[in-house]
Amino acid sequence: MNRTNTFDLVPQSETTEEILVRVLDASASLWNQLTYDRRQRFFDGESVWECDGYYDEYVDVLSGATTQQIARVNDTAWRSFFELLDDPAYDPSPPGYWGNRDEGRNLHTYIRDDSYTIRWNERSRLEIRIGMDLKDEYGFGMYERLRLPVRGNPKWRGDSGRLEIRYDSVEETYRVHQSTTVEEIETSESNGSEAAALDLGANVLVACTTTSGEQYLYNGQTPFEQFRETTNRIADAQAKLPDEQHTSQRIKRLYRTRSRRRDHAVNALLRDLVERLDAASMTTIYHGDLTGVLGEYWSVEANFKARSFWAHQQCIDRLESVCEEFGIDVEAISEAWTSQTCPECGERERTHRHRETLTCPCGFEGHADLVASKALLEQATNTTVRPTARPVRFQWDDHQWHPVEGTIVTPNE
Ligand SMILES: [Zn+2]
């Protein structure tokens, strides 16, 4: 999987920044010359691949590797252009310039994977190769590289690919994008990859436990009440229909309203949760399959909620698409027994669930959905998870999910 690490460079002196700017500006100059030359040839009907001779001009500033790297990225841009040109569905323009006459060149470069090193620690730094002229001018040693302090942390660890450095004039910072190839996340024995498990429930929409010990509860009461209220209005409207008629515009509208409000709450929930998990560096999210959701230990009421409110598969699809945006893997695992097993003694048969509370003859009493998400996580990662803080409870206010003060876990309703 290819992922991108993003961080900023913080040159520690004016001289360092000056050298960096010269590298970025020379890169843009090379790009623009090559682009100008190729555009001329293209419009004259000549081959754009005949262009070279720029190497000598830039190698002593940029180093050979960076000069080649920029030429290669330019080649790729032209190749993509020609591919699109052959496709009748597109009307592409030839590659453009980095910057313009009025505002000057964009400060921008690409650094090949073997031309830089990054050390990640409390004083992280990037070192890049520069050309001999710059080394002479600024008194660098033969093999010395330009050293640039880094602000930020890598989100992904893996095989490092090329770097792109670009001056962001809005934020006034030198931003780096590092392409990284990460291995597929293994389910068990994974070191350093954090995971979370979700239990999709009836009263609590989602209970979540993470390998770093956080627990979240998204309370379904408000969205359920809205859902039920609209369901009652649908029933009323149906009762008033003439004998031959099965539906009406009003009923259809009520169904649409009911779905739209539910989808709004569920989508906002998934986004809130995934953003939270992404910020906590989670790389995998496990969710239970359906077997546990429609367990027979539930009341008729709970089953109504689970079956009609939760469009389960739709919700999982949505979860997957939000996670894809964040590069988080989603995996389904069997959640048989997870909601009924006592986390203290392992008892399954004699535990008792009343609403949200799971009790065991051994004396254990806890929130059933949290117990389930924790058990699911332990099963999936083959580890023991210890909650580090009290669970955070979230409430829906029709616009967003927000944490509720005094996050005491008690059965509600
Ligand atoms: Zn027990």
Side-chain angles (χ1 to χ4, degrees):
M1 298 184 288
N2 286 317
R3 296 285 182 259
T4 304
N5 285 322
T6 302
F7 47 89
D8 290 341
L9 300 177
V10 196
Q12 80 278 35
S13 71
E14 277 179 27
T15 310
T16 310
E17 184 165 7
E18 190 177 299
I19 302 169
L20 175 63
V21 167
R22 286 186 62 180
V23 169
L24 298 176
D25 188 58
S27 300
S29 172
L30 165 59
W31 176 277
N32 289 348
Q33 275 198 34
L34 198 51
T35 302
Y36 177 80
D37 209 352
R38 286 180 160 169
R39 289 174 70 107
Q40 295 305 307
R41 284 168 188 263
F42 173 72
F43 294 123
D44 291 344
E46 295 170 34
S47 164
V48 303
W49 307 115
E50 305 289 299
C51 289
D52 48 22
Y54 296 111
Y55 187 85
D56 291 345
E57 200 178 326
Y58 290 96
V59 66
D60 292 329
V61 177
L62 294 178
S63 82
T66 300
T67 307
Q68 281 171 4
Q69 183 63 50
I70 287 163
R72 196 166 302 155
V73 175
N74 196 276
D75 289 350
T76 307
W78 281 90
R79 265 199 301 276
S80 310
F81 165 65
F82 287 123
E83 274 166 30
L84 290 181
L85 206 56
D86 292 337
D87 189 331
Y90 293 92
D91 181 22
S93 309
Y97 300 103
W98 287 357
N100 57 49
R101 202 178 293 268
D102 293 337
E103 287 163 32
R105 289 190 281 263
N106 294 342
L107 298 177
H108 187 183
T109 198
Y110 289 93
I111 310 282
R112 210 167 70 186
D113 58 353
D114 60 356
S115 289
Y116 73 89
T117 51
I118 304 182
R119 267 172 248 281
W120 294 108
N121 51 38
E122 58 281 5
R123 299 175 64 194
S124 299
R125 61 178 193 264
L126 166 71
E127 292 185 9
I128 59 171
R129 241 184 238 180
I130 54 175
M132 280 312 295
D133 280 2
L134 286 183
K135 287 184 193 173
D136 287 346
E137 204 177 319
Y138 291 92
F140 278 52
M142 180 79 163
Y143 299 105
E144 206 177 329
R145 293 176 170 203
L146 178 62
R147 183 181 289 192
L148 299 152
V150 165
R151 182 173 55 216
N153 283 301
K155 191 167 158 191
W156 306 102
R157 304 263 185 182
D159 284 341
S160 313
R162 75 167 189 222
L163 286 189
E164 182 181 0
I165 308 175
R166 204 191 263 275
Y167 182 68
D168 181 333
S169 57
V170 177
E171 296 196 29
E172 298 186 329
T173 187
Y174 299 94
R175 184 140 300 153
V176 183
H177 298 284
Q178 178 193 35
S179 75
T180 301
T181 308
V182 288
E183 282 180 33
E184 298 289 333
I185 313 296
E186 60 279 31
T187 50
S188 57
E189 298 151 12
S190 59
N191 297 322
S193 70
E194 301 285 349
L198 312 185
D199 180 77
L200 308 180
N203 295 324
V204 169
L205 288 179
V206 172
C208 171
T209 301
T210 73
T211 46
S212 51
E214 283 97 23
Q215 294 195 302
Y216 305 122
L217 285 170
Y218 287 81
N219 193 320
Q221 208 174 335
T222 311
F224 278 137
E225 277 164 11
Q226 293 174 345
F227 190 82
R228 195 199 333 252
E229 194 240 341
T230 317
T231 305
N232 292 341
R233 286 167 64 195
I234 291 169
D236 284 349
Q238 275 166 338
K240 288 175 192 152
L241 284 175
D243 280 350
E244 302 295 299
Q245 206 178 324
H246 298 292
T247 188
S248 65
Q249 287 308 317
R250 176 173 154 72
I251 291 172
K252 286 179 188 165
R253 201 162 52 237
L254 285 169
Y255 271 115
R256 277 198 302 273
T257 304
R258 192 178 75 165
S259 306
R260 200 166 50 233
R261 296 184 90 180
R262 175 200 58 201
D263 292 349
H264 182 36
V266 170
N267 292 346
L269 186 162
L270 294 174
R271 184 158 288 277
D272 184 86
L273 176 66
V274 173
E275 283 176 358
R276 219 167 273 285
L277 295 176
D278 178 63
S281 308
M282 299 293 141
T283 53
T284 309
I285 294 178
Y286 300 98
H287 65 82
D289 61 20
L290 258 178
T291 52
V293 178
L294 303 177
E296 59 188 29
Y297 54 90
W298 273 11
S299 62
V300 173
E301 169 72 2
N303 271 318
F304 163 75
K305 285 176 177 175
R307 286 179 203 277
S308 59
F309 181 87
W310 265 126
H312 188 269
Q313 190 52 50
Q314 190 188 321
C315 170
I316 298 301
D317 291 347
R318 179 73 194 170
L319 173 70
E320 283 176 347
S321 95
V322 178
C323 284
E324 199 178 336
E325 263 179 58
F326 288 87
I328 296 174
D329 287 349
V330 177
E331 287 187 35
I333 65 167
S334 165
E335 66 175 329
W337 297 107
T338 51
S339 323
Q340 287 145 282
T341 306
C342 171
E344 293 293 327
C345 70
E347 175 63 41
R348 288 172 170 182
E349 309 287 346
R350 295 186 302 144
T351 54
H352 178 70
R353 179 175 173 150
H354 180 67
R355 295 202 171 133
E356 297 183 342
T357 307
L358 184 75
T359 48
C360 177
C362 78
F364 173 82
E365 187 179 315
H367 192 290
D369 296 327
L370 285 179
V371 166
S373 67
K374 181 169 163 290
L376 203 61
L377 186 63
E378 292 183 331
Q379 193 182 310
T381 58
N382 204 15
T383 53
T384 307
V385 177
R386 301 194 189 289
T388 51
R390 308 181 74 172
V392 185
R393 227 177 221 281
F394 296 91
Q395 210 90 45
W396 176 242
D397 71 359
D398 230 13
H399 300 286
Q400 57 181 348
W401 291 89
H402 54 89
V404 186
E405 290 304 315
T407 54
I408 307 156
V409 181
T410 50
N412 64 2
E413 284 195 311

